[in-house]
Amino acid sequence: MNIAENIHTILNSLEGTSAKLIAVTKTKPIELLQEAYDANCKIFGENKVQEMVSKWEVLPKDIQWHLIGHLQTNKVKYMAEFVSMIHSVDSLKLLQEIDKQAAKHARVIDCLLQIYIAKEETKFGLSQEEAIALLESESFKAMKNIRIVGLMGMATNTDDLTQIRLEFRGLKTFFDSLKSTFTNTENVALSEISMGMSGDYLIAAEEGSTLVRVGSAIFGHR
Ligand SMILES: *Cc1c(COP(=O)(O)O)cnc(C)c1O
C-alpha cells in the first residue's frame, strides 16, 4: 500500500472534473495521515468527533478537517474551534447547536445538508422537502454562525453502477434547483456537492461532485 501513489492516481483520474479529494482517514493511525499530508493531501474526513479531535491535536495545523459521519448534538462543542466543514447536517436542531458553538469561537462553520438519496432505510439524511423547509424556516434565517455551502449524499451500497449514477444525478438535479430557488444570503452560498467514495468516486465526479470522500482506495481496507 503506497499512500502517495494512490493519492496521485486518484488525483490524475479526477483531472478535468470539478471534484476535490477528501482523504477519509477514519480508523487510520497518525503515521498514515502524515504520509498523506506529505503527499500534499491536506483535506481529511473523519466520521467520529473524538477521533478527529485527537488527530487534530497532534497533526499540522494547515489540515482542513471535514466531519463526514452522523453527528450527535452533544459532540459539536468538541470540534467547533477548528472543523472546516460538516457534511452530515440532517436536522434543524443540529444546525442550531453548530451555530451556537461556532458563535462561542467567533467562527462561521461551513455545513452541507445531508440528503437521503439511497434506496436503503439505514442511511441518515433529509428528504428534499425537509431540506427546503429547513432553508425556508425563520430559525434558519436567523443563524449567523453557520453557512450552508451545499449538499451531501451517499448512494445505495450496491454493485448496480447505473443505480448509483442515477442517485448521484438526482442529487445534482436537486442541487441545481435549490441554487436557482435560493439566492445567496449571509448563510447560504451553494457551491459544493459531496458525493462519491472509493467504489464510485469517478461516477460521482462525472455527475458533478465537487468533493469526493475516499478512504480505502488511499489507505487500504479498514
Ligand atoms: C467511510 C466513509 C467514506 C469513505 O469510504 P471508502 O469506501 O473507504 O472510500 C466516505 N463517506 C463517508 C460518510 C464515510 O463514512
Side-chain angles (χ1 to χ4, degrees):
M1 187 55 51
N2 185 326
I3 289 172
E5 218 166 82
N6 293 344
I7 288 172
H8 287 130
T9 305
I10 295 167
L11 289 177
N12 278 339
S13 68
L14 291 175
E15 218 160 274
T17 76
S18 306
K20 262 191 309 210
L21 175 63
I22 299 177
V24 175
T25 49
K26 65 189 186 196
T27 77
K28 298 298 174 185
I30 295 292
E31 307 84 81
L32 299 193
L33 276 66
Q34 184 68 48
E35 266 189 57
Y37 179 87
D38 294 338
N40 219 19
C41 182
K42 298 184 180 177
I43 312 179
F44 291 166
E46 287 281 336
N47 69 339
K48 293 208 173 75
V49 175
Q50 256 91 2
E51 186 177 341
M52 186 171 76
V53 170
S54 47
K55 289 171 172 173
W56 166 72
E57 282 169 346
V58 297
L59 282 163
K61 288 296 176 275
D62 62 337
I63 292 169
Q64 288 180 37
W65 294 94
H66 288 225
L67 196 282
I68 61 174
H70 182 64
L71 176 58
Q72 287 171 306
T73 311
N74 62 357
K75 301 281 171 59
V76 174
K77 55 178 175 284
Y78 301 114
M79 62 173 179
E81 180 185 347
F82 69 90
V83 68
S84 283
M85 193 183 291
I86 299 175
H87 290 228
S88 43
V89 173
D90 60 359
S91 74
L92 184 64
K93 181 168 151 269
L94 176 59
L95 201 56
Q96 278 166 327
E97 176 65 11
I98 298 169
D99 186 56
K100 179 176 145 196
Q101 297 299 333
K104 289 186 185 170
H105 297 279
R107 298 189 62 213
V108 174
I109 296 180
D110 285 345
C111 295
L112 305 176
L113 296 180
Q114 183 170 352
I115 305 299
Y116 181 92
I117 60 171
K119 272 192 170 166
E120 297 155 357
E121 289 300 329
T122 54
K123 295 274 180 353
F124 295 102
L126 299 161
S127 68
Q128 299 190 1
E129 294 71 24
E130 288 167 333
I132 291 168
L134 187 155
L135 293 171
E136 285 176 341
S137 71
E138 291 308 316
S139 17
F140 170 71
K141 288 176 189 163
M143 293 181 197
K144 294 191 159 40
N145 294 85
I146 51 90
R147 187 169 55 176
I148 299 295
V149 297
L151 305 178
M152 184 270 231
M154 286 174 84
T156 304
N157 187 7
T158 172
D159 293 332
D160 183 349
L161 298 182
T162 307
Q163 169 75 21
I164 292 171
R165 185 179 291 280
L166 290 176
E167 289 173 1
F168 288 152
R169 193 169 293 175
L171 187 63
K172 172 71 159 79
T173 303
F174 180 52
F175 174 86
D176 289 340
S177 83
L178 276 188
K179 220 171 137 63
S180 64
T181 316
F182 292 89
T183 47
N184 283 358
T185 57
E186 285 287 295
N187 60 12
V188 182
L190 300 173
S191 61
E192 306 291 343
I193 308 177
S194 167
M195 58 185 189
M197 318 195 338
S198 289
D200 52 26
Y201 68 86
L202 278 178
I203 299 176
E206 285 167 9
E207 296 298 332
S209 174
T210 67
L211 297 167
V212 292
R213 310 177 308 268
V214 180
S216 43
I218 297 175
F219 298 104
H221 286 289
R222 286 177 297 271

